[in-house]
Amino acid sequence: MSPAVKVSDATSWWRVDLAGVLSAVCHHCSDLAGILACSIVVRDRSEEFFSAASSSEWASALDDFQLSEEVGPTWDCCTTGRATQGDGLEHRGLTGSGLAEQASIYGVVGCRAVPLSSQGENRGALTLYWGP
């Protein structure tokens, strides 16, 4: 079942603090069992992806790493629009650095990125990072 918005409610969206909503989603998702952190990457008006919210600074840093190196589940999810899990953790980025090396510093052993879409268009990814 997909979520629905009433037409009468749609006009009130302009009053929503989107950054606050994204931050709240990240913090609630990070409370899930086994999840160390959650982050959200979105596409801006110039069609570039950026880290928009996270439950921790390091999760945002891991997103930034994946986006700049064009490697990892978050990058794959953003570019393909498909959910990815753990794929790409061992792959090396453009500069030769690996996501697994960066993630292990924070105790991350895996992650799952799910697409965020609107009107059939991929707008970003929500990524859950988990530990052992």
Side-chain angles (χ1 to χ4, degrees):
M1 179 192 306
S2 40
V5 176
K6 295 178 188 175
V7 174
S8 61
D9 293 339
T11 58
S12 65
W13 280 100
W14 64 271
R15 289 182 262 150
V16 172
D17 172 16
L18 187 56
V21 169
L22 296 178
S23 180
V25 167
C26 284
H27 285 285
H28 287 295
C29 287
S30 67
D31 288 340
L32 298 171
I35 301 300
L36 300 175
C38 174
S39 61
I40 296 176
V41 167
V42 295
R43 187 187 312 249
D44 62 18
R45 289 185 178 161
S46 65
E47 299 298 310
E48 297 292 323
F49 290 104
F50 71 97
S51 181
S54 66
S55 62
S56 69
E57 287 186 34
W58 62 260
S60 182
L62 288 179
D63 286 345
D64 290 341
F65 175 83
Q66 291 179 74
L67 297 175
S68 67
E69 293 293 309
E70 298 181 1
V71 68
T74 301
W75 170 257
D76 292 342
C77 184
C78 285
T79 57
T80 67
R82 293 188 311 258
T84 57
Q85 180 168 317
D87 299 336
L89 286 182
E90 294 300 327
H91 293 108
R92 300 253 169 222
L94 299 173
T95 64
S97 297
L99 177 58
E101 296 167 18
Q102 300 294 316
S104 67
I105 295 168
Y106 306 104
V108 173
V109 297
C111 66
R112 178 159 178 87
V114 294
L116 301 174
S117 57
S118 174
Q119 300 175 344
E121 184 177 338
N122 185 31
R123 300 304 303 163
L126 179 141
T127 304
L128 300 171
Y129 294 99
W130 65 81

